[in-house]
Amino acid sequence: MNLVPTRIELARPLPPLTYLAPEGLPPGVRVRVRLRNGAAVGLVLGRDGAPPKVQLRPIESVVDPFPLLPQKLRELLAFAADYYAVGLAQLLPLCLPPVLVPNWEVETKHGLRLSDLRDQGRWDDLAALGEAWHRGEEGLRGLLHRRDRRGAGLTEICRTELPNPAKVTATQAKALLALEEAGGRMLEADLRDLTGTSAAVLATLEAKGLIQRTRRLDLLSQRREEGIDHRVALNAEQLAASAAVADRGFGVHLLYGVTGSGKTEVYLEVAERVLAAGRRVLWLVPEIGLTPRLLARLEARFPGQVAVGHAGLSATEKQADVVRLLQNGAPIFVGVRNAVLAPLRDIGLIIVDEEQEGSYKSEEHPRIHARDLAIKRAQLEDCPIILGSATPSLESWHAASAARYKLLKLTQRPLGIQLPEVQVADLRDAHREQRKRVVFSKALLAGMAEVLARGEQAMLLLNRRGFENFWMCRACGKTLDCPHCAVSLTYHKGSYRLRCHMCGFEAVPPEVCPHCAAAHLRGVGEGTEQIEDQVAALFPKARILRLDRDTTTRKGSLEAGLLAAEQGHVDILVGTQMLAKGHNFPKLTLVGILNADQGLRMPDFRAGERTFQLLTQVAGRAGRAEHAGRVVLQTYSPDHPAIAFALRQDFEGFAAQELTYRETLAYPPFTALALYRSEGDSPEAAQQALAAQKARLAAVPGLHLLGPLEAPVPKVRDRYRMHLLVKARQRGGISSALHAAPLAPGGAVVVDRDPLHFG
Ligand code: ADP
Ligand code: ZN
């Protein structure tokens, strides 16, 4: 086969490199190449016409037999690479696992084998084969029969630990090896598909005690029974909303309605039409673990047609999932952020539920925003997209107000449930009265007592983990800080440790102050751990469950806790804002927000918006079922707009005021932003890197450059951090900036386009 110079982009921070690759290799095919420090997967960009300056090395192997990604998705990737100024290949791992099914083989109906075609360089034939394969007409060995064995999909195979391995045959060894590579456990269906192992072989291995079969605790199957498809008759507003979404053609719809107003029923209705037309639905949710009820409803309405993108699957499981998707998988694909790049074909509808959620924005390179890319994807697919929310992002709300998006409003709650009564507890008054800092206001204490007496449920929210917020010395006034980060350490009583929430540093609490040696250390401010203790002391008989990141590190523990709470085995739930989202606790009638001001002090122009969203979301949790709900909102600043409007549950009023403020201060949605971040071993190094970038940006017209300034947390893990904020009137201005002064890959400076967090 003729080898020619070919440009290859690598999923590494490097510019494209040129290698020798088979002539005719189509762009979009992944290849494996050798770098100085190991192997890497890259994407073929095309032939390199320039005369080679150095001795070129051949690629190691061709990973894909044909371009795996649908054309529209490749267009989306090209857009995203340009928009976020990242390499195309850096986006690839978000769509496909690094190596998809090693040594895979396809045999055509006419007995042609993929490997033969590849060895002969018959790329056109392979492309045709690829099309057939994507349509599900040609099988990948083993994987084709997947659907016939759905039951096996829920059985998990685990490796057992045997001191003296029994003798195994080659076939058995192959299965064991695959299991080993998958980390010791995988779905039976995947194991069989990937290795071609028969059920009999697995049975033998089990008889030898080398593997164990278990029913997997599967969210879908476990919840399936609950999600009976109680099809409802849509009310007039829902019908109007559903009808407003055209079956074809691009259009952005903002579906705005309080929790329980029936948005999901509208999604389901439109999705049903799209499926009937033979097209697919891409359904984005902020967090998979928090949506068991949605999955149950989907599975009940569209049995066997729902696939879920899991973040926590092993590489092998992911491969099997992706192969299924690539090959005409389930028509509804539900997933979180990166699912916006899922290799789904023939998309007829995109849904972004809770579109305002920050989790749609990646806080790691590449820093994509899934909602924004979803809109672009809908445009490329020429299909409608629905953004749904009770508290739309101001970006989306503004676009709807300007009629760029179609606004669909749901104003009622079909089940007749009233929105909860929200009561403010002014902590300044409480403090004045009781002459000390108050953790639980009288209103909240009374409410909790009532709820317990009636056998209902209460939820207390505080966005701070640990026992005490920080330790301070009363003699010298200094705090105990992390040696590696510019933050104070948080005391965790359960583990008797002071812990850094930035880097994880831990220390046994000292007896005396390390600064002045006085024995006057004391904890300041309470975290969820202490709230749990205090509630237990106040209500000794109550069953209390704390859910925060410290209690839910084990896989499945959050789900288990939530399930216990849903089923009424908990009287008082204590937790961070992870409790605020998406659950339905039928007995929950009281929500206590211990400190509503917490988020307002963040140095971030979105602090008010986030606080409003959180308070509204929390309020939506109380009283979803037959019980009327009540929210006690404790605050030191009841007059702050975010709190005052949340008390009246007036999103539109809040949005109007907040947008005026954003316009005055020239913040999004009235300007576009990019945040350059630098890191260095010293503050000076970080500063110089950004100053150099600023100088390069100075030539770009129409930019407003702020900084370099210390980041809000100026040091993390012994690295000093600085920020440079770039403002432009239009998005185009930011694009010009990114292109006029591209960053060196792997350098000290990174850029975050449309930044959401400034920490
Ligand atoms: P949202 O997504 O806005 O929170 P849901 O679609 O989940 O709202 O609806 C809340 C509850 O009301 C669900 O139990 C749903 O089945 C029910 N519901 C929605 N629309 C109707 C309707 N038109 N008639 C009866 N019940 C409805
Ligand atoms: Zn630290």
Side-chain angles (χ1 to χ4, degrees), residues 167-214:
K167 260 192 132 43
V168 292
T169 66
T171 337
Q172 293 164 355
K174 195 170 153 202
L176 288 175
L177 196 68
L179 197 57
E180 197 68 45
E181 275 169 5
R185 81 177 41 229
M186 68 196 294
L187 291 179
E188 174 173 345
D190 292 341
L191 182 63
R192 288 173 59 182
D193 287 345
L194 291 172
T195 58
T197 311
S198 69
V201 168
L202 290 179
T204 315
L205 283 172
E206 195 172 19
K208 286 187 178 173
L210 288 167
I211 61 164
Q212 211 174 1
R213 276 193 240 214
T214 44

Side-chain angles (χ1 to χ4, degrees), residues 134-155:
H134 281 305
R135 287 193 304 270
E137 290 164 14
E138 297 286 356
L140 173 68
R141 187 176 58 201
L143 282 167
L144 189 64
H145 306 297
R146 168 103 217 176
R147 256 160 265 145
D148 309 333
R149 292 205 252 110
R150 279 188 60 88
L154 298 176
T155 307

Side-chain angles (χ1 to χ4, degrees), residues 421-552:
E421 172 204 340
V422 185
Q423 183 184 352
V424 70
D426 190 332
L427 291 176
R428 294 171 309 182
D429 292 347
H431 186 269
R432 222 171 290 132
E433 249 173 54
Q434 303 183 25
R435 293 173 183 279
K436 61 167 194 209
R437 227 168 49 83
V438 173
V439 179
F440 303 107
S441 61
K442 280 185 184 150
L444 185 54
L445 285 174
M448 277 155 65
E450 273 169 40
V451 161
L452 289 174
R454 287 201 299 260
E456 296 165 358
Q457 209 171 45
M459 178 192 282
L460 302 180
L461 288 161
L462 180 68
N463 223 5
R464 188 189 289 142
R465 301 180 284 133
F467 190 80
E468 276 145 357
N469 191 23
F470 57 90
W471 275 21
M472 187 181 132
C473 171
R474 271 193 288 184
C476 72
K478 294 209 173 101
T479 53
L480 295 189
D481 297 336
C482 175
H484 309 290
C485 308
V487 293
S488 40
L489 297 167
T490 304
Y491 176 50
H492 288 252
K493 192 179 169 200
S495 55
Y496 190 60
R497 287 288 184 282
L498 288 165
R499 195 179 299 159
C500 172
H501 286 181
M502 298 302 292
C503 74
F505 171 85
E506 282 191 344
V508 174
E511 296 288 325
V512 298
C513 173
H515 307 290
C516 73
H520 290 302
L521 290 171
R522 60 172 280 206
V524 181
E526 45 293 304
T528 44
E529 206 180 336
Q530 183 174 156
I531 297 299
E532 182 186 12
D533 273 15
Q534 292 199 14
V535 173
L538 286 164
F539 304 102
K541 292 217 183 84
R543 293 167 300 173
I544 303 166
L545 178 68
R546 171 163 63 97
L547 288 178
D548 56 29
R549 253 207 286 153
D550 296 322
T551 64
T552 56

Side-chain angles (χ1 to χ4, degrees), residues 722-737:
M722 304 283 286
H723 282 176
L724 172 69
L725 186 65
V726 181
K727 278 187 180 182
R729 274 249 150 260
Q730 312 284 344
R731 278 168 187 251
I734 298 293
S735 294
S736 317

Side-chain angles (χ1 to χ4, degrees), residues 38-321:
V41 170
L43 191 69
V44 170
L45 292 178
R47 191 156 172 173
D48 190 350
K53 289 192 232 35
V54 290
Q55 175 81 34
L56 294 178
R57 286 205 282 174
I59 61 165
E60 215 164 56
S61 59
V62 179
V63 176
D64 305 324
F66 38 77
L68 285 178
L69 300 181
Q71 175 60 29
K72 296 273 167 58
L73 179 53
R74 276 190 271 153
E75 287 170 32
L76 180 71
L77 288 174
F79 168 83
D82 180 66
Y83 187 83
Y84 293 106
V86 296
L88 196 59
Q90 289 177 278
L91 294 166
L92 264 188
L94 309 186
C95 320
L96 293 173
V99 176
L100 193 74
V101 194
N103 308 319
W104 64 346
E105 183 61 292
V106 178
E107 198 170 285
T108 70
K109 290 198 187 92
H110 317 294
L112 278 172
R113 291 160 57 85
L114 179 151
S115 49
D116 299 340
L117 293 174
R118 187 167 56 194
D119 294 347
Q120 293 161 20
R122 290 167 61 184
W123 303 110
D124 290 346
D125 290 340
L126 274 173
L129 178 58
E131 279 308 309
W133 180 77
H134 281 305
R135 287 193 304 270
E137 290 164 14
E138 297 286 356
L140 173 68
R141 187 176 58 201
L143 282 167
L144 189 64
H145 306 297
R146 168 103 217 176
R147 256 160 265 145
D148 309 333
R149 292 205 252 110
R150 279 188 60 88
L154 298 176
T155 307
E156 196 174 57
I157 305 275
C158 281
R159 169 190 63 197
T160 55
E161 310 294 343
L162 267 194
N164 294 315
K167 260 192 132 43
V168 292
T169 66
T171 337
Q172 293 164 355
K174 195 170 153 202
L176 288 175
L177 196 68
L179 197 57
E180 197 68 45
E181 275 169 5
R185 81 177 41 229
M186 68 196 294
L187 291 179
E188 174 173 345
D190 292 341
L191 182 63
R192 288 173 59 182
D193 287 345
L194 291 172
T195 58
T197 311
S198 69
V201 168
L202 290 179
T204 315
L205 283 172
E206 195 172 19
K208 286 187 178 173
L210 288 167
I211 61 164
Q212 211 174 1
R213 276 193 240 214
T214 44
R215 290 289 289 175
R216 182 185 180 121
L217 188 80
D218 185 280
L219 218 53
L220 268 183
S221 63
Q222 182 192 332
R223 300 286 183 138
R224 198 165 292 153
E225 305 96 60
E226 304 168 27
I228 320 135
D229 184 15
H230 36 239
R231 197 173 278 264
V232 299
L234 298 190
N235 65 27
E237 279 182 339
Q238 288 170 312
L239 284 173
S242 149
V245 183
D247 281 356
R248 274 182 187 264
F250 170 63
V252 189
H253 307 80
L254 179 61
L255 181 60
Y256 158 59
V258 294
T259 311
S261 60
K263 295 185 292 297
T264 307
E265 293 296 336
V266 174
Y267 304 148
L268 291 172
E269 178 80 12
V270 182
E272 192 158 34
R273 288 202 320 251
V274 168
L275 294 189
R279 305 182 81 195
R280 285 156 209 280
V281 178
L282 176 59
W283 191 311
L284 299 183
V285 293
E287 254 176 280
I288 270 299
L290 295 177
T291 47
R293 277 191 79 244
L294 169 68
L295 295 181
R297 278 165 84 177
L298 274 171
E299 184 64 20
R301 175 75 67 96
F302 309 108
Q305 300 188 65
V306 187
V308 184
H310 288 277
L313 291 185
S314 72
T316 331
E317 287 171 314
K318 255 184 222 158
Q319 285 176 9
D321 271 0

